[in-house]
Amino acid sequence: MILTPEQLQDLGMAVFREAGVPEESAASVVEALVRAELDGLPSHGFSRIPFYVDQALSGKVKARAIPLVRQPAPAAVLVDAGNGFAFPAILAGLEKAIPLARGNGVSVLGVTRSHHCGVVGLYAERIAEAGLISLIFSNTPAAMAPWNGSKASFGTNPLAFGCPREGKHPLVIDMSLSKVARGKIMGAKQRGEAIPEGWALDAAGRATTDPVAALGGTMIPVGDAKGAALALMVEILSATLTGANHAYEASSFFEPTGSAPGIGQTFILLDPKPLNPDFSARLEALCGHLLGQEGVRLPGERRFMLRERNRVSGVNLPEALYNDLRKRAGVA
């Protein structure tokens, strides 16, 4: 089914309204999911709505939670998401952290008792549009074993970097520390498709192309031992630092039962101008050097290209998902 951005927005809001999610909270969630679809990232788009809604209905996500924003130090913001959706909590925190970074040259935002935060690069883009550099970290429920280990102990633990560019799209680097996002394996399971070898191991530690076996096993880290070490770094920065659940303590993003995941996110915001008033010119010199080489494309450029194309051509939702969402919205 081909849907325009407006139709996606209307459908998403209708589903969350039907589930009793407050308008403001639903709007922040749907905005992020629509953007993921436009950017060609369906594993973090509308395919997540059934899981979000089922958890809201069961109470695993506290849909009516009001984020509690505190400033425990002059350049530090801490948000307790109250086991509600991550999106409104993060936006509330950034509303305070961005001016602090402009005033102090740096600020840090921690979010605790949080949930799945979608495409972390979207926050990096938002912060870059405010003229700031960002480093963003989130942990997720356990999906990867430590190197040479056998028990899932880290999440896929995404991280992102954002950097403003004058008159151009921001530079955005966004990655998870597994070879692929776990959502891609969930999507393959929903479609009844095999996954490529090298993405995951089954519960016995054997390579598998079966998404069901992969979801019951562990993800393979990008860069092998180096990726596992980076996952540990993200775990500490996002969960240990904010007092959130570690990956091995967090429940699934996909199951409606059990306790809340209670994970964490951390945002480090930097104003480049105090350190280097000539930052923009120096950045463009670097980007120009890179782009002068044949075949080079800056990270994130494909996402911006897809966004513009999909705004015009629309987004293709799988028919089964479209029908499920219409049913959930009470319009099927």
Side-chain angles (χ1 to χ4, degrees):
M1 302 298 299
I2 304 297
L3 278 73
T4 67
E6 294 75 21
Q7 289 171 325
L8 282 172
Q9 179 79 20
D10 291 345
L11 176 59
M13 289 300 295
V15 173
F16 282 101
R17 286 193 195 102
E18 188 70 13
V21 178
E23 193 83 4
E24 185 175 355
S25 181
S28 67
V29 176
V30 173
E31 178 189 6
L33 300 184
V34 170
R35 183 67 67 87
E37 291 287 348
L38 291 173
D39 288 3
L41 300 166
S43 64
H44 286 57
F46 272 44
S47 64
R48 294 276 175 166
I49 292 181
F51 304 112
Y52 288 175
V53 167
D54 286 347
Q55 291 184 41
L57 291 172
S58 72
K60 186 174 181 177
V61 171
K62 309 301 180 187
R64 296 189 175 276
I66 298 174
L68 176 62
V69 181
R70 297 193 297 113
Q71 187 178 344
V77 178
L78 182 63
V79 180
D80 183 349
N83 290 321
F85 288 112
F87 306 96
I90 290 171
L91 293 180
L94 288 177
E95 189 174 334
K96 195 168 187 67
I98 287 173
L100 285 178
R102 287 174 173 156
N104 296 309
V106 62
S107 69
V108 61
L109 163 63
V111 183
T112 191
R113 294 208 299 163
S114 190
H115 197 266
H116 182 252
C117 66
V119 179
V120 287
L122 295 180
Y123 306 111
E125 183 181 344
R126 181 185 291 265
I127 295 165
E129 288 169 349
L132 302 172
I133 296 171
S134 64
L135 286 164
I136 304 171
F137 310 95
S138 178
N139 75 326
T140 63
M144 292 196 304
W147 196 245
N148 291 327
S150 59
K151 185 175 182 180
S153 303
F154 306 132
T156 55
N157 287 14
L159 67 148
F161 169 82
C163 189
R165 297 181 66 196
E166 282 193 13
K168 298 181 177 68
H169 290 304
L171 175 63
V172 176
I173 300 171
D174 178 0
M175 68 183 78
S176 66
L177 292 175
S178 57
K179 287 194 175 178
V180 297
R182 191 171 171 85
K184 287 190 175 182
I185 295 181
M186 180 60 70
K189 176 187 174 185
Q190 290 173 332
R191 296 188 299 272
E193 298 174 357
I195 60 172
E197 190 166 336
W199 281 14
L201 306 175
D202 66 15
R206 299 170 300 204
T208 183
T209 60
D210 179 354
V212 177
L215 290 168
T218 59
M219 307 287 289
I220 297 176
V222 64
D224 300 326
K226 292 181 180 179
L230 285 171
L232 172 59
M233 178 192 77
V234 172
E235 192 73 31
I236 293 168
L237 285 170
S238 59
T240 313
L241 184 63
T242 65
N245 281 340
H246 290 119
Y248 68 88
E249 299 168 317
S251 63
S252 171
F253 285 154
F254 299 109
E255 298 297 330
T257 57
S259 58
I263 61 155
Q265 290 95 25
T266 294
F267 299 71
I268 300 171
L269 287 65
L270 303 167
D271 186 348
K273 293 178 183 177
L275 293 176
N276 183 7
D278 198 32
F279 173 81
S280 293
R282 296 296 295 145
L283 176 63
E284 290 312 308
L286 173 60
C287 291
H289 169 77
L290 299 175
L291 294 171
Q293 302 175 49
E294 185 176 354
V296 172
R297 183 175 63 193
L298 295 177
E301 285 300 314
R302 180 176 178 273
R303 179 184 297 180
F304 293 118
M305 178 189 69
L306 288 173
R307 184 184 303 172
E308 295 309 311
R309 186 195 74 183
N310 290 335
R311 285 191 191 280
V312 176
S313 63
V315 169
N316 188 3
L317 278 191
E319 187 173 359
L321 175 60
Y322 174 72
N323 290 336
D324 180 36
L325 294 180
R326 283 176 55 84
K327 182 178 180 181
R328 290 172 180 272
V331 295

